Amino acid sequence: MKRKIRMGMVGGGSGSFIGAVHRMAANLDGQVELVCGAFSSRPEVARQSGIDLFLPQDRVYTSFEEMVEKEAVLPEDKRMDFVSIVTPNHVHFEPAKLALEKGFHVVCEKPLCFSLEEAYALRKLVEQSDLEFCVTHTYTGYPMVKEARDLIKAGKLGKIRKVIVEYPQGWLSTNVEASGQTQASWRTDPKRSGMGGSVGDIGTHAENLAEYISGLKITELCADVSTMVEGRLLDDDANILLHFDNGAKGVLHCSQICAGEENDLNIRIYGEKGGIVWKQMEPNTLLVKMHEAPAQIYRTGGDRPYLGEGAQAHTRVPAGHPEGYLEAFANLYHNFARVLQAKLEGKQPDPQHQDYPTIYDGVRGMEFIVSVIKSSESQEKWFKFISEE
Ligand code: NAI
């Protein structure tokens, strides 16, 4: 029973940022179709956004409650299969919970939700169901990130000793929120963003990337979290020392006040035998530096036999044809849709397709936010990573 996987969207109305990126990513491989949406909390914007996306009027809803309730009673060959939640952080939990309760799979933006309690409640709902839950930590979708992870997993670098992950941005270097800029306004509002500012917004991506590539887990940390811009209500800069579960040490910094920076996420990981370097703004290159040997430049490309299965399975075009953010994002949707397809057909999903961030990554991100903020407030040097695993 092969057919397109049907998506409903919460948020992503006109004037928003990431919703449109999700729609592009979902479309890229032709496996997913947008069939309905509740695109805004403002009914007129929700309706107009549906018109702009050529959706039939009766599938454009003015609230996520209406969408989930009405879709749940549609015939099976019509109703959505999953909900994609692309709203600000304080509007992740309720739509995700309702969708799971009504039997829909979920794709949800990061950070998973507003509080750790909500995160654990969602995890419980997922565990009690047979539903899939993807948290869009986009950066895990890059072929060279998969390659770095696979090299480390295969022991090429030896035992990992050091992880350095940096996520500097500059767009909040001034009090942008005072002008009412949409994306800055809710991100700097503790009632809508949650406990963390930069820590939740981009620190969680850095934490997720470090654990994904290294295969290690953070066990304790020592955080110094600041608000540099006067009048701002949440952090905009954080410098964090890390301890990992194999004894490795690390440094994570995330900042939105590095004036002049764009989106310079980068990571370096060193083992006993060598290291890797990956930079988000040059995503098709992975540097592999072995001890006392010349550095090697690995490049993406579907026709590169030296790359591992993970990188090859997540590459679309031959070498020399750059892929980037949208393709990495699309890899999450591609895998998620393939897993749902396998479920529809009653088949076992391909392990390669099960490679997308899940509810557990989302929970980990929420635990990271709370651990970092509490560490920064505490006088203890080493703060135990809060985890209910
Ligand atoms: P945004 O402010 O541009 O868009 C939010 C959208 O949600 C708007 O269309 C708004 O009308 C809608 N909305 C708000 N309340 C709603 C409700 N009750 N019902 C329906 N729609 C509602 O925000 P942005 O920048 O797109 O961020 C959204 C989420 O995506 C955040 O959680 C953010 O952390 C995450 N994000 C993730 C990225 C990634 O790399 N994975 C990148 C950017 C954002």
Side-chain angles (χ1 to χ4, degrees):
M1 209 240 312
K2 270 215 151 106
R3 60 162 177 80
K4 285 198 177 193
I5 303 296
R6 296 185 287 261
M7 168 167 87
M9 182 166 269
V10 181
S14 48
S16 66
F17 167 34
I18 210 69
V21 174
H22 278 250
R23 291 192 292 269
M24 287 186 255
N27 267 329
L28 195 65
D29 296 294
Q31 296 179 72
V32 176
E33 61 180 324
L34 178 71
V35 294
C36 63
F39 298 104
S40 171
S41 52
R42 286 178 293 160
E44 69 288 2
V45 178
R47 273 190 221 102
Q48 188 56 47
S49 302
I51 292 169
D52 294 344
L53 292 163
F54 307 104
L55 287 176
Q57 244 183 349
D58 62 344
R59 305 293 289 279
V60 180
Y61 304 100
T62 49
S63 74
F64 66 80
E65 291 93 340
E66 185 196 8
M67 178 171 113
V68 175
E69 299 290 348
K70 289 200 171 154
E71 288 289 317
V73 294
L74 285 180
E76 219 169 289
D77 63 350
K78 198 172 179 206
R79 70 168 171 245
M80 64 180 179
D81 294 299
F82 76 95
V83 181
S84 188
I85 300 167
V86 293
T87 44
N89 307 348
H90 71 304
V91 194
H92 290 181
F93 176 69
E94 290 297 341
K97 177 172 175 281
L98 190 59
L100 291 168
E101 286 170 349
K102 291 288 174 181
F104 295 109
H105 305 281
V106 175
V107 170
C108 183
E109 262 306 343
K110 48 47 62 179
L112 176 60
C113 41
F114 188 78
S115 70
L116 196 48
E117 292 68 36
E118 290 180 350
Y120 290 146
L122 285 181
R123 182 176 66 187
K124 196 167 169 201
L125 279 175
V126 175
E127 285 175 345
Q128 286 166 346
S129 74
D130 185 32
L131 297 166
E132 296 296 317
F133 198 107
C134 171
V135 177
T136 43
H137 278 298
T138 325
Y139 303 103
T140 60
Y142 284 93
M144 286 296 108
V145 167
K146 310 266 183 215
E147 182 68 12
R149 176 205 53 183
D150 290 346
L151 290 175
I152 289 172
K153 205 171 175 183
K156 170 130 177 154
L157 306 187
K159 186 182 172 219
I160 299 305
R161 291 166 160 172
K162 179 135 184 159
V163 179
I164 303 160
V165 59
E166 301 173 286
Y167 201 156
Q169 295 182 334
W171 71 292
L172 291 178
S173 291
T174 59
N175 197 341
V176 192
E177 58 270 38
S179 70
Q181 202 262 17
T182 311
Q183 284 76 25
S185 297
W186 71 255
R187 278 178 172 80
T188 54
D189 175 1
K191 293 199 181 76
R192 290 182 284 171
S193 189
M195 200 184 225
S198 68
V199 171
D201 201 34
I202 56 174
T204 51
H205 274 313
E207 164 267 326
N208 180 257
L209 190 67
E211 291 197 343
Y212 180 77
I213 298 183
S214 70
L216 304 174
K217 292 263 187 259
I218 301 166
T219 52
E220 22 178 48
L221 45 80
C222 173
D224 182 9
V225 173
S226 316
T227 304
M228 294 289 183
V229 170
E230 215 182 306
R232 181 160 287 156
L233 299 177
L234 283 171
D235 64 87
D236 49 25
D237 184 78
N239 303 288
I240 307 163
L241 297 177
L242 306 171
H243 282 172
F244 289 89
D245 56 357
N246 75 334
K249 306 284 168 91
V251 183
L252 183 156
H253 104 79
C254 60
S255 181
Q256 295 180 310
I257 50 90
C258 287
E261 290 293 357
E262 293 177 347
N263 196 46
D264 198 16
L265 171 64
N266 65 76
I267 185 160
R268 286 173 282 166
I269 300 183
Y270 301 96
E272 288 166 341
K273 295 192 256 178
I276 58 96
V277 181
W278 182 76
K279 295 172 189 259
Q280 193 272 153
M281 284 165 68
E282 292 291 340
N284 298 306
T285 297
L286 177 71
L287 270 181
V288 179
K289 301 179 171 184
M290 300 310 292
H291 187 52
E292 294 182 339
Q296 290 185 310
I297 299 172
Y298 284 38
R299 296 275 299 158
T300 47
D303 50 357
R304 297 267 156 149
Y306 64 78
L307 293 176
E309 274 176 31
Q312 297 214 26
H314 294 88
T315 305
R316 290 180 175 74
V317 286
H321 299 78
E323 297 192 30
Y325 183 65
L326 293 178
E327 288 85 349
F329 221 121
N331 282 338
L332 271 53
Y333 271 98
H334 174 275
N335 288 349
F336 185 75
R338 284 288 160 110
V339 169
L340 297 199
Q341 189 75 54
K343 285 200 160 175
L344 279 178
E345 293 176 43
K347 292 184 185 158
Q348 194 53 34
D350 180 331
Q352 204 61 259
H353 296 149
Q354 290 174 306
D355 182 4
Y356 57 79
T358 66
I359 187 75
Y360 297 103
D361 297 274
V363 167
R364 202 80 196 141
M366 295 305 296
E367 290 173 338
F368 172 77
I369 297 171
V370 179
S371 303
V372 168
I373 301 299
K374 292 208 164 167
S375 162
S376 189
E377 286 165 0
S378 116
Q379 291 305 310
E380 266 173 73
K381 181 169 177 191
W382 289 105
F383 193 88
K384 206 166 171 323
F385 192 96
I386 295 167
S387 180
E388 257 194 21
E389 256 173 33

